[in-house]
Amino acid sequence: MLSPEQVLKSSDFEEISLREAFMLLTKCRIDAGFAPMVADLLTYQDAQPKFSKTPWPMAGLSLLPYNFYDESINLCPKATYCPQTCLNFQGRGKFTPTQLARKWRTDLLVKYPRAFYTVLNHELKRFEKKVGPDFLFRPNVFSDVKWESVLPDEWWDRFSEVRVMDYTKRWDRPEFPRSNYRLAFSVGAKAQLKKIDGLLERGSNVAIVFDVAKQESFPEFVGDYRLVDGDTHDNLWDRGNGVILALRAKGNLKKVDSKFKFGLDSLEGNR
């Protein structure tokens, strides 16, 4: 399968007329079975449960992850067993219209990157006027695209005050791939504690899913590891440095045995 960066190039992203971009967006919606009308490309706090917990203005881009859009393209190149319990299918993701909505957004990105880029910029500027320039933006709500190399330099210059952030399983990326882009490194089924230690020691934050019930609290420390409850809000810029972002299993992951769920005791004495 092709990685996102093999399909998308920064040279593909330049603005066209908003009218033309909206026409192509509408075409993608029609192809996905929706009414012929313009809709938002981005998701905002009133439509995304975890965003709604975040007391900072926030927007996100919800694409289809892994190869759920096209079997020849993998929008999560480091996915292992996670497609089986992917958050893409949790909550509203269980419903076909939600999957089709993510499909037309992915369609616009892959087939018409100039239209995608034009609408993206239009919506971000509109949101900027509403809430100010330093809002949060999560371009990989479900996907794992290296936006630092896909979006052109001019985009990063134009939106330099926006606090961009993501979770990633692609550990070859730096914590700050751009000055205003911060990553937290997600632990997958094949992660080794030695590598987790290396990330924490350099000051990066690591997200781990624990087999902990919703009503249970996380301890502040497990052994020498400092934990922060990552479910309280989604602002990765407000999490300090060198901490484990402790997440609770959600959706299908709560119900099954999985290599993605860690026990708190699995970290004891391993540092």
Side-chain angles (χ1 to χ4, degrees):
M1 290 185 285
L2 298 173
S3 72
E5 299 76 44
Q6 290 174 302
V7 177
L8 306 167
K9 306 295 181 185
S10 61
S11 58
D12 295 333
F13 293 92
E14 56 183 37
E15 290 202 32
I16 57 177
S17 74
L18 191 58
R19 175 185 171 84
E20 183 182 355
F22 279 157
M23 288 176 62
L24 291 170
L25 182 153
T26 302
K27 179 184 184 305
C28 290
R29 281 178 50 82
I30 293 171
D31 291 345
F34 289 101
M37 58 184 289
V38 174
D40 283 340
L41 175 66
L42 301 179
T43 303
Y44 301 91
Q45 278 159 305
D46 58 348
Q48 224 290 343
K50 191 170 184 184
F51 289 7
S52 66
K53 298 179 183 178
T54 302
W56 297 269
M58 185 172 180
L61 176 63
S62 297
L63 303 173
L64 284 177
Y66 191 50
N67 66 349
F68 300 142
Y69 168 71
D70 184 320
E71 290 187 354
S72 68
I73 304 171
N74 187 352
L75 294 183
C76 298
K78 292 296 183 180
T80 51
Y81 305 102
C82 46
Q84 302 163 17
T85 52
C86 181
L87 287 176
N88 174 59
F89 298 112
Q90 311 310 322
R92 296 176 186 175
K94 292 181 287 191
F95 303 112
T96 299
T98 301
Q99 292 298 308
L100 292 174
R102 292 170 189 168
K103 180 182 184 300
W104 75 250
R105 290 175 171 89
T106 313
D107 214 22
L108 187 67
L109 170 64
V110 174
K111 292 182 178 177
Y112 309 108
R114 294 196 300 165
F116 170 90
Y117 186 63
T118 302
V119 177
L120 174 67
N121 291 350
H122 168 73
E123 289 197 27
L124 290 175
K125 290 173 188 176
R126 184 183 66 188
F127 197 49
E128 182 180 59
K129 287 182 179 179
K130 180 180 179 180
V131 303
D134 61 343
F135 58 89
L136 304 174
F137 177 42
R138 187 173 164 185
N140 284 323
V141 174
F142 303 106
S143 52
D144 200 355
V145 178
K146 289 184 176 180
W147 292 105
E148 65 271 22
S149 60
V150 169
L151 289 172
D153 290 340
E154 65 179 24
W155 187 90
W156 295 98
D157 292 339
R158 169 61 184 83
F159 295 104
S160 60
E161 292 186 68
V162 176
R163 290 176 291 172
V164 188
M165 60 188 194
D166 273 321
Y167 294 89
T168 182
K169 282 194 172 76
R170 305 174 77 175
W171 288 16
D172 59 326
R173 300 170 73 184
E175 181 187 4
F176 294 95
R178 295 279 182 158
S179 61
N180 63 323
Y181 191 10
R182 186 177 192 184
L183 301 176
F185 297 93
S186 298
V187 172
K190 298 181 179 179
Q192 298 176 355
L193 287 171
K194 184 185 296 185
K195 292 184 177 180
I196 294 173
D197 281 344
L199 289 171
L200 293 170
E201 286 169 2
R202 77 182 194 192
S204 299
N205 292 340
V206 175
I208 301 179
V209 176
F210 289 98
D211 194 9
V212 170
K214 184 177 181 179
Q215 65 273 15
E216 291 184 58
S217 298
F218 288 108
E220 186 177 355
F221 288 89
V222 175
D224 291 331
Y225 294 92
R226 186 159 66 94
L227 272 62
V228 172
D229 189 335
D231 286 329
T232 54
H233 64 74
D234 213 28
N235 185 358
L236 298 180
W237 290 91
D238 191 55
R239 292 302 196 187
N241 301 299
V243 300
I244 290 177
L245 303 178
L247 305 170
R248 295 168 183 83
K250 301 172 183 66
N252 291 337
L253 192 56
K254 292 188 296 186
K255 307 170 188 176
V256 299
D257 290 329
S258 172
K259 296 178 181 179
F260 283 103
K261 290 191 292 188
F262 282 67
L264 290 171
D265 58 357
S266 66
L267 300 181
E268 291 276 15
N270 283 298
R271 197 170 189 187

